[in-house]
């Protein structure tokens, strides 16, 4: 019967009909009694919305469900928050779990981060990992673990092993940059500028800076977008700048490039980047200062010289293995080595990116770090180049694990965003950040109080390194440099666990140059195809009987 009635009068129009009826009734009441203005206005607005819904052509839902259809969009709008607060479990990561975020919040606020009643993790889950402890724990005097980057340069840098990843002014708000740099200054750790260059906000508190030079050469470009040696020298010579980082790609969107629309290029952003205000700011997908691996090494040497001998290296997310091998061959041929390399994982994501790039482009940090670490070992260059890694680094165990795989230090972006108060609303690219971290809206930025958030940034860094110190002591170690893959254990299945050292790729010192035939397939297939004078393969790949896997890690 309901179906027959619906065929005569579509029930989905009932809400609109009630609004129209309410408007008519309110009008009559107003004429008769002189009262009912609020009801008249409300019903009139709703009736007008419904009539507009039926006539508009952009939304099929609103045409079929006038007035009522807006409820669907309202619920969809708040769905992420409702899911985060009421549905997700504490261990469900999307992309960071509530447990991970809570850990940062607690440490940043100086609250207790201990947990009662045992672990909430499923220790029988395949892939679960832990670090073995020792019956003879050590005692470490300080949690301020440091490494020297560029020891043979004119201005080597004593770096913390935990630093702030590249996040540009423009992507982050001015108060966020001020708070991050102030926290870094107090804690003695480094703040990567991102490719947006050094803004006035980076200079206020004087915290150590890693100046990232992207393909747009922001802060050191000529008017045509090419590299300007003069402008680079002016900024690179500032004492606050401790290292120079050439960005080849980032984990969030490797190989993509980007455009900051002119409407978002404010005078402040334009001044920092050296571009016209109000005009589109383009980050090309590749560099114009070099086109071959050998040219890239000479460009790195030039940047080191122009900066006055500061440690100079590059950051990238691993893609085609032969391109990475070509860079290594260029190091060997030219005799020029970067002082450091930062391996960014595809799980990184402070920069907004197309979904396909976020989900399916670039190698995860484990595979990228292992390939870089082992290649440098295989050609005898590992001792000359420091390795950093980035990609979902939150806890002390995350740092320990990356160092066990070959990293010398770790960078984190989103963890320090959480320390600033980020709630993972995932509206970074809209300008509507609810906490003032990733918006250029002056009103929204006022929510972020710099002194308070700077304190939280410093406190999170200190608390995390103290936790790392306790992990190392429990494992019987004395420095992060003592960590190896032998210390990490992974569950393989219900009845089997293995040391990480038995699962990941290992290359002996210098063996790539003397015994290529005994190496892993990734080296046997792609090392011969790489050339110091081209990023492309030198000859077409031979057809192999076994499938080629560009980035295998298992032995």
């Amino acid at each position: 019967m309901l179906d027959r009635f619906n065929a005569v009068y579509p029930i989905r129009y009932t809400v609109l009909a009630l609004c129209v009826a309410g408007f008519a009734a309110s009008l009559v009441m107003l004429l008769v009694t002189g009262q009912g203005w609020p009801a008249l206005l409300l019903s009139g607005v709703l009736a007008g919305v419904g009539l507009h819904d039926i006539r508009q052509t952009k939304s099929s839902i609103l045409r079929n469900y006038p007035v009522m259809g807006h409820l669907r969009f309202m619920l969809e709008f708040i769905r992420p928050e409702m899911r985060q607060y009421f549905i997700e479990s504490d261990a469900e990561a999307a992309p960071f779990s509530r447990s991970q975020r809570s850990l940062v919040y607690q440490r940043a606020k100086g609250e207790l981060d201990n947990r009662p009643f045992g672990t909430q993790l499923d220790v029988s889950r395949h892939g679960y990992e832990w670090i073995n402890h020792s019956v003879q724990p050590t005692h470490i005097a300080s949690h301020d673990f440091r490494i020297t980057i560029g020891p043979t340069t004119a201005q080597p840098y004593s770096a913390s092993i935990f630093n702030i990843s590249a996040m540009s002014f423009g992507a982050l708000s001015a108060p966020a940059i001020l708070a991050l740099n102030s926290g870094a200054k107090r804690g003695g750790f480094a703040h990567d500028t991102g490719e947006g260059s050094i803004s006035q906000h980076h200079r206020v508190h004087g915290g150590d800076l890693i100046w990232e030079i992207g393909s747009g050469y922001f802060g050191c470009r000529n008017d045509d977008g090419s590299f300007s040696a003069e402008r680079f020298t002016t900024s690179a010579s500032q004492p606050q700048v401790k290292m120079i980082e050439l960005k080849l790609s980032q984990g969030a969107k490797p190989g993509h490039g980007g455009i900051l629309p002119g409407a978002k290029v404010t005078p402040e952003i334009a001044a920092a980047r050296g571009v016209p205000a109000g005009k589109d700011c383009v980050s090309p997908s590749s560099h114009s200062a070099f086109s071959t691996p050998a040219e890239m090494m000479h460009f790195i040497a030039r940047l080191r010289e122009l900066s006055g001998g500061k440690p100079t290296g590059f950051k990238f997310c691993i893609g085609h293995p032969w391109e990475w091998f070509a860079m290594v061959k260029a190091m060997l041929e030219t005799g020029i080595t970067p002082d450091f390399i930062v391996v960014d994982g595809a799980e990184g994501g402070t920069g907004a990116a197309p979904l396909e790039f976020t989900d399916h482009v670039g190698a995860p940090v484990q595979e990228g770090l292992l390939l870089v670490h082992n290649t440098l070992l295989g050609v005898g260059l590992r001792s000359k180049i420091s390795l950093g890694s980035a990609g979902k680094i939150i806890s002390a165990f995350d740092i320990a694990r990356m160092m066990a795989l070959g990293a010398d230090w770790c960078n984190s972006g989103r963890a320090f965003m959480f320390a600033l108060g980020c709630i993972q609303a995932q509206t970074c690219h809209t300008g509507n950040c609810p906490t003032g971290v990733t918006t250029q809206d002056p009103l929204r930025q006022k929510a972020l109080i710099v002194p308070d958030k700077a304190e939280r940034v410093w406190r999170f860094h200190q608390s995390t390194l103290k936790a790392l110190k306790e992990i190392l002591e429990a494992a019987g170690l004395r420095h992060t440099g003592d960590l190896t893959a032998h210390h990490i254990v992974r569950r393989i299945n219900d009845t089997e666990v293995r040391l990480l050292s038995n699962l990941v790729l290992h290359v002996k010192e210098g063996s790539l140059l003397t015994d290529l035939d005994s190496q892993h397939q990734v080296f046997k297939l792609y090392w011969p195809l790489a050339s110091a004078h081209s990023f492309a393969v030198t000859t077409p790949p031979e057809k192999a009987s076994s499938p080629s896997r560009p980035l295998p890690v298992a032995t």
Side-chain angles (χ1 to χ4, degrees):
M1 180 149 181
L2 189 62
D3 290 339
R4 276 183 283 174
F5 177 74
N6 189 56
V8 177
Y9 166 73
I11 297 175
R12 62 182 182 273
Y13 292 146
T14 299
V15 175
L16 174 59
L18 290 173
C19 293
V20 173
F23 177 75
S26 300
L27 182 59
V28 171
M29 179 179 289
L30 182 65
L31 294 174
V32 173
T33 66
Q35 297 180 347
W37 277 108
L40 180 69
L41 290 174
L42 178 61
S43 58
V45 169
L46 292 175
V49 168
L51 293 173
H52 175 268
D53 290 343
I54 291 176
R55 293 175 59 84
Q56 58 83 38
T57 58
K58 293 185 177 180
S59 172
S60 300
I61 289 177
L62 295 181
R63 283 174 65 85
N64 275 329
Y65 298 88
V67 183
M68 186 171 57
H70 289 278
L71 180 62
R72 183 260 183 192
F73 294 108
M74 291 173 60
L75 293 174
E76 184 180 50
F77 182 74
I78 64 173
R79 178 183 180 274
E81 288 78 13
M82 294 301 99
R83 178 175 176 81
Q84 180 183 128
Y85 297 145
F86 301 114
I87 300 174
E88 285 182 356
S89 71
D90 285 346
E92 190 174 350
F96 289 93
S97 70
R98 175 158 292 279
S99 292
Q100 290 174 309
R101 300 196 305 274
S102 295
L103 178 66
V104 178
Y105 299 149
Q106 289 164 348
R107 288 180 172 169
K109 294 175 183 178
E111 298 175 353
L112 287 175
D113 58 2
N114 296 333
R115 176 176 292 165
F117 227 64
T119 182
Q120 296 179 10
L121 299 180
D122 180 4
V123 298
S124 63
R125 173 182 57 85
H126 301 179
Y128 171 75
E129 292 181 337
W130 68 91
I131 185 168
N132 278 334
H133 66 282
S134 171
V135 295
Q136 291 185 315
T138 56
H139 174 71
I140 303 173
S142 171
H143 61 272
D144 186 23
F145 301 109
R146 308 195 79 82
I147 61 166
T148 300
I149 302 176
T152 61
T153 62
Q155 302 185 58
Y157 180 51
S158 176
S160 169
I161 55 88
F162 189 39
N163 301 292
I164 302 172
S165 272
M167 295 181 286
S168 301
F169 169 58
L172 297 190
S173 66
I177 295 294
L178 288 166
L180 287 172
N181 197 257
S182 178
K185 173 68 174 180
R186 181 174 177 183
F189 53 100
H191 179 193
D192 195 311
T193 65
E195 66 175 308
S197 192
I198 308 169
S199 71
Q200 60 179 338
H201 309 295
H202 288 94
R203 298 186 174 97
V204 172
H205 297 292
D208 291 352
L209 293 178
I210 301 171
W211 185 13
E212 184 176 89
I213 309 296
S215 55
Y217 305 115
F218 299 130
C220 57
R221 59 187 267 140
N222 296 309
D223 292 340
D224 62 357
S226 60
F227 175 73
S228 168
E230 294 75 20
R231 292 176 180 173
F232 172 81
T233 303
T234 299
S235 293
S237 60
Q238 296 173 8
Q240 190 181 358
V241 176
K242 301 301 182 182
M243 300 202 300
I244 309 298
E245 179 181 272
L246 182 68
K247 173 191 165 184
L248 302 183
S249 59
Q250 68 185 79
K253 48 181 177 180
H256 185 269
I259 297 178
L260 185 64
K264 294 185 178 182
V265 183
T266 64
E268 278 187 321
I269 293 174
R273 300 191 179 201
V275 298
K279 293 187 177 181
D280 291 350
C281 180
V282 179
S283 298
S285 56
S286 60
H287 281 264
S288 60
F290 56 87
S291 59
T292 70
E295 290 176 359
M296 174 183 159
M297 295 307 139
H298 285 292
F299 186 61
I300 288 173
R302 187 183 182 199
L303 293 178
R304 185 189 291 129
E305 180 182 0
L306 291 172
S307 68
K310 294 180 178 180
T312 304
F314 65 90
K315 178 184 88 172
F316 74 144
C317 177
I318 280 286
H320 296 309
W322 59 82
E323 293 180 346
W324 158 239
F325 293 159
M327 297 177 208
V328 177
K329 285 190 173 181
M331 297 176 201
L332 296 172
E333 184 172 310
T334 62
I336 300 169
T337 56
D339 298 300
F340 66 91
I341 298 172
V342 175
V343 181
D344 205 6
E347 58 267 60
T350 55
L355 182 64
E356 292 83 357
F357 279 77
T358 297
D359 290 346
H360 301 293
V361 179
V365 66
Q366 172 175 295
E367 283 68 29
L369 178 60
L370 282 169
L371 187 63
V372 171
H373 171 69
N374 280 286
T375 305
L376 294 177
L377 272 177
V379 298
L381 293 178
R382 181 62 183 88
S383 60
K384 297 182 178 180
I385 301 173
S386 299
L387 283 187
S389 68
K392 295 191 78 171
I393 307 295
I394 291 286
S395 70
F397 179 76
D398 296 334
I399 297 174
R401 188 182 185 281
M402 287 298 101
M403 293 185 165
L405 292 175
D408 295 307
W409 86 90
C410 292
N411 293 336
S412 181
R414 286 170 290 182
F416 283 101
M417 288 174 67
F418 291 144
L420 288 173
C422 168
I423 60 172
Q424 195 173 267
Q426 300 185 65
T427 57
C428 311
H429 59 300
T430 67
N432 296 323
C433 174
T435 56
V437 176
T438 63
T439 179
Q440 298 306 309
D441 182 335
L443 199 58
R444 288 178 176 269
Q445 289 181 8
K446 289 182 179 180
L448 200 159
I449 307 303
V450 173
D452 174 61
K453 303 306 182 185
E455 180 84 5
R456 292 189 183 192
V457 167
W458 167 77
R459 200 181 285 122
F460 167 66
H461 179 268
Q462 295 295 300
S463 298
T464 302
L465 289 189
K466 287 177 181 177
L468 179 61
K469 168 180 172 289
E470 292 175 348
I471 288 178
L472 293 176
E473 289 173 335
L477 306 176
R478 298 190 176 277
H479 193 275
T480 55
D482 299 331
L483 282 163
T484 70
H486 295 286
H487 294 104
I488 309 295
V489 189
R490 179 187 296 175
R491 179 172 293 283
I492 303 301
N493 53 47
D494 291 343
T495 60
E496 185 179 5
V497 300
R498 291 188 187 179
L499 295 177
L500 210 56
S501 57
N502 293 325
L503 295 172
V504 299
L505 179 66
H506 286 287
V507 173
K508 293 182 180 180
E509 182 85 21
S511 61
L512 279 183
L513 302 178
T514 59
D515 189 17
L516 184 62
D517 290 338
S518 66
Q519 302 303 320
H520 194 281
Q521 193 78 344
V522 66
F523 296 109
K524 289 194 290 185
L525 282 175
Y526 297 121
W527 182 263
L529 305 179
S531 167
H533 302 286
S534 175
F535 285 107
V537 293
T538 54
T539 57
E542 297 180 3
K543 293 183 180 180
S545 57
S546 59
S548 62
R549 295 175 293 171
L551 295 170
V553 294
T555 55

